[in-house]
Amino acid sequence: MQIYIDTASIEDIRAASDMGVLDGVTTNPSLVAKEGVDFHDRLKEICDVVPGPVSAEVVSTESDGMLEEAKPLLEIADNIVIKLPCTVDGLRACKHLSSNGVRVNMTLCFQPLQAMLAAKAGAFLISPFLGRLDDLGQDSMDLIQQIRTIYDNYGYETKVLAASVRHPMHLVECALVGADVATVPFKVIQQMMNHPLTDSGLKKFLDDWAAMNTPSSG
Ligand code: E4P
């Protein structure tokens, strides 16, 4: 499964990239607003650090505006992926962009038919949101499973990108049901390598080693 980082923080992106397992980046207007930086400048910085797909979201709600916004974003770097909402206008813009060789990430996906239409419109990525569905008491993993089955049944090449990831168990379940990618906050990326038994086991090895190599006072 590919791992993207879900942030616009350049420090977190650098730190995750240094771990050697980062495949791409997703941003959204809320994440960029949190940073208080120029959107295009930040995207350029991100693309200089990460060679994989970097999703940049439009804020227009009509397809013509989405296509206009996409033009300068695509000039930033070759690895920019245009992120569009799962609406009829988003679908129309997706079809236009993907027909012209542009990679599109269809975001805010909450039901499988949105994913089916996004695939038919040529999307490169579909982003079902896990945490936001869980918040409503729905089982978000059902959605991932349904999209996986539909895509496999018809041979759609759109990649399933699990978004709105909140904790490591989301990632375990995504990997088990066959999501292609998960986009993950930096905190959860760090949690992926954590286990208290790893820490206590390592401490015991090092303590035993140090004791063996410490000359006895007697
Ligand atoms: C990523 O593409 C999404 O915008 C992001 O994962 C949404 O996460 P949230 O539900 O935690 O805001």
Side-chain angles (χ1 to χ4, degrees), residues 6 26-28 31 57 83 105 107 127 129 132 161 163-166 183:
D6 192 26
T26 53
T27 64
N28 65 35
L31 292 171
E57 187 162 347
K83 202 171 172 194
N105 173 359
T107 191
S127 291
F129 277 36
R132 294 191 195 189
L161 188 171
S164 190
V165 165
R166 301 272 169 82
T183 189

Coordinates of all heavy atoms in Angstrom, one line a residue, residues 6 26-28 31 57 83 105 107 127 129 132 161 163-166 183, ligand 1:
D6 N -0.8 13.6 4.7 CA -1.9 14.5 4.5 C -1.7 15.8 5.3 O -2.1 15.9 6.5 CB -3.1 13.7 5.1 CG -4.5 14.4 4.8 OD1 -4.5 15.1 3.7 OD2 -5.4 14.1 5.5
T26 N -1.0 14.8 0.1 CA -2.3 15.4 -0.2 C -2.4 16.7 0.6 O -2.0 16.7 1.8 CB -3.5 14.5 0.1 OG1 -3.4 14.1 1.5 CG2 -3.6 13.4 -0.8
T27 N -3.0 17.7 0.0 CA -3.3 19.0 0.8 C -4.8 19.2 0.5 O -5.4 18.7 -0.4 CB -2.5 20.2 0.3 OG1 -2.9 20.4 -1.1 CG2 -1.0 19.9 0.3
N28 N -5.4 20.1 1.4 CA -6.7 20.6 1.1 C -6.8 22.0 1.6 O -5.8 22.5 2.3 CB -7.8 19.7 1.7 CG -7.8 19.7 3.2 OD1 -7.5 20.7 3.9 ND2 -8.1 18.5 3.8
L31 N -6.1 22.5 5.3 CA -4.7 22.2 5.7 C -3.8 23.4 5.3 O -2.9 23.8 6.1 CB -4.2 20.9 5.1 CG -4.8 19.6 5.6 CD1 -4.4 18.5 4.7 CD2 -4.5 19.4 7.1
E57 N -5.9 21.1 -4.2 CA -7.3 21.2 -4.4 C -7.8 22.6 -4.9 O -7.3 23.6 -4.4 CB -8.0 20.9 -3.0 CG -9.5 20.8 -3.1 CD -10.0 20.0 -1.9 OE1 -9.2 19.4 -1.1 OE2 -11.3 20.1 -1.7
K83 N -7.0 18.3 -7.5 CA -8.0 17.7 -6.6 C -9.3 18.4 -6.8 O -9.4 19.6 -6.6 CB -7.5 17.8 -5.2 CG -8.1 16.8 -4.2 CD -7.3 17.0 -2.9 CE -7.9 16.2 -1.7 NZ -7.3 16.6 -0.5
N105 N -7.5 13.8 -8.6 CA -7.9 13.2 -7.3 C -9.3 13.7 -7.0 O -9.5 14.9 -6.7 CB -6.9 13.6 -6.2 CG -7.3 13.1 -4.9 OD1 -8.3 12.4 -4.7 ND2 -6.5 13.3 -3.9
T107 N -12.1 14.1 -4.6 CA -12.2 14.1 -3.1 C -13.6 14.2 -2.5 O -14.5 14.4 -3.3 CB -11.3 15.3 -2.6 OG1 -11.1 15.1 -1.2 CG2 -11.9 16.6 -2.9
S127 N -10.9 9.6 -3.4 CA -10.6 9.8 -2.0 C -11.8 9.6 -1.1 O -12.5 10.5 -0.8 CB -10.0 11.2 -1.7 OG -8.8 11.3 -2.2
F129 N -13.5 9.3 2.4 CA -13.1 9.8 3.7 C -13.6 8.9 4.9 O -14.8 8.7 5.1 CB -13.8 11.2 3.9 CG -13.1 12.4 3.3 CD1 -12.4 12.2 2.1 CD2 -13.1 13.6 3.9 CE1 -11.8 13.3 1.5 CE2 -12.4 14.7 3.3 CZ -11.8 14.5 2.1
R132 N -14.5 10.9 8.8 CA -15.8 11.7 8.8 C -17.0 10.8 8.7 O -18.1 11.2 9.3 CB -15.8 12.7 7.6 CG -14.7 13.8 7.8 CD -14.8 14.9 6.8 NE -13.6 15.7 6.7 CZ -13.5 16.8 6.1 NH1 -14.5 17.3 5.4 NH2 -12.3 17.5 6.1
L161 N -7.7 5.8 -2.7 CA -6.9 6.5 -1.7 C -7.7 6.8 -0.5 O -8.6 7.6 -0.5 CB -6.4 7.8 -2.3 CG -5.4 8.7 -1.6 CD1 -5.0 9.8 -2.5 CD2 -5.9 9.3 -0.3
A163 N -8.7 8.4 2.7 CA -8.5 9.7 3.3 C -9.2 9.9 4.6 O -9.9 9.0 5.0 CB -8.9 10.8 2.3
S164 N -8.9 11.0 5.3 CA -9.5 11.3 6.6 C -9.2 10.1 7.6 O -10.0 9.6 8.3 CB -11.1 11.4 6.5 OG -11.6 11.9 7.7
V165 N -7.9 9.7 7.5 CA -7.4 8.7 8.4 C -7.1 9.2 9.8 O -6.5 10.3 9.9 CB -6.1 8.1 7.7 CG1 -5.4 7.2 8.7 CG2 -6.5 7.3 6.5
R166 N -7.6 8.6 10.8 CA -7.4 9.1 12.1 C -6.5 8.4 13.0 O -6.0 8.9 14.0 CB -8.8 9.2 12.8 CG -9.8 10.0 12.1 CD -9.8 11.5 12.5 NE -10.6 12.3 11.6 CZ -11.9 12.5 11.7 NH1 -12.6 11.9 12.6 NH2 -12.6 13.3 10.8
T183 N -3.7 8.3 2.7 CA -3.1 9.5 3.1 C -3.3 9.8 4.5 O -4.4 9.7 5.1 CB -3.6 10.7 2.2 OG1 -2.7 11.8 2.4 CG2 -5.0 11.1 2.4
Ligands
E4P1 C1 -7.2 14.4 2.1 O1 -7.1 14.4 0.9 C2 -8.4 14.9 2.8 O2 -8.7 16.2 2.5 C3 -8.2 14.7 4.3 O3 -7.7 13.4 4.5 C4 -9.4 15.0 5.1 O4 -9.1 14.7 6.5 P1 -10.0 15.2 7.7 O5 -11.4 14.5 7.6 O6 -9.3 14.8 8.9 O7 -10.1 16.7 7.6

